Amino acid sequence: MANLNPVNIANADSKQTELFDQIQNAFGAVPNMFKTIGHSSSALESMWTSFGALAKGNIGAKLGEQIAVLVADINRCEYCLSAHTVLGQNAGATLDQMNAAQRGIAEDAKSQAALDFASKLVRFNGQVRESDVQAVRAAGFSDSDIAEILAHVALNIFTNYTNVAFDVEVDFPKVSLTKR
């Protein structure tokens, strides 16, 4: 794995500083992932604003975080698994629910359909079948919701690849990946 050192915030330019300030206000700190992708203010803005946009979505923060831990585990991203386990608990999920979601298991049929669809998106590089989309619809998701599930998957692939490719140091309580 390559290493891209985190940006020293004290040396950040004005655009980076503006974004780091927003992240600091949201988290109480600037997580290493943002400091690492922050070498490019455009990449940082893309990542940060995507989180903000999806936070306003319809599927809810809890399900979004469950999707995140599943995608992180499939992509072998300990950083995102650790971060989203904490964020999922902050969104109302129990630790047991987050651990189950990491393995692709949900406590209700609707959430299970979303996790199954998210898993197929990742495992098959987006090449899902019409029957896969129909299964998510049958579980009660609208086309808007289905597009949002895909957006969560895509954002998490971006963050997973950032952390795995650049070997970003985990600055959340560590959660172990499953054995796949």
Side-chain angles (χ1 to χ4, degrees):
M1 284 181 273
N3 191 351
L4 195 62
N5 291 321
V7 170
N8 180 335
I9 293 178
N11 298 331
D13 67 28
S14 62
K15 183 62 179 175
Q16 290 167 312
T17 298
E18 174 189 338
L19 293 164
F20 287 144
D21 286 348
Q22 292 172 21
I23 295 164
Q24 171 79 35
N25 288 336
F27 285 96
V30 179
N32 287 335
M33 176 185 70
F34 293 111
K35 289 189 276 190
T36 301
I37 201 66
H39 284 282
S40 164
S41 58
S42 296
L44 177 61
E45 183 175 16
S46 173
M47 184 182 284
W48 180 240
T49 59
S50 291
F51 277 114
L54 290 174
K56 300 178 214 167
N58 293 324
I59 69 165
K62 178 180 171 184
L63 181 55
E65 298 300 340
Q66 289 173 307
I67 291 168
V69 296
L70 172 63
V71 173
D73 200 70
I74 293 169
N75 286 325
R76 314 307 292 156
C77 181
E78 186 179 63
Y79 188 101
C80 287
L81 177 59
S82 300
H84 289 286
T85 297
V86 169
L87 295 171
Q89 291 174 287
N90 292 345
T94 65
L95 180 58
D96 286 343
Q97 289 170 325
M98 295 307 293
N99 290 336
Q102 174 187 354
R103 296 185 317 275
I105 301 167
E107 61 186 13
D108 63 89
K110 186 174 182 180
S111 297
Q112 186 64 56
L115 292 181
D116 290 345
F117 184 64
S119 177
K120 287 178 181 181
L121 284 166
V122 177
R123 293 178 192 280
F124 301 117
N125 302 309
Q127 297 178 27
V128 293
R129 299 182 178 133
E130 179 61 29
S131 60
D132 297 322
V133 175
Q134 291 301 333
V136 183
R137 279 191 190 119
F141 289 100
S142 69
D143 287 357
S144 173
D145 298 334
I146 295 168
E148 194 174 311
I149 292 168
L150 183 136
H152 275 276
V153 169
L155 174 57
N156 283 284
I157 289 171
F158 178 20
T159 62
N160 293 175
Y161 284 14
T162 297
N163 294 305
V164 172
F166 301 134
D167 198 22
V168 177
E169 182 181 345
V170 178
D171 50 357
F172 290 87
K174 284 192 181 178
V175 176
S176 297
L177 296 164
T178 62
K179 303 217 185 309
R180 290 189 189 257

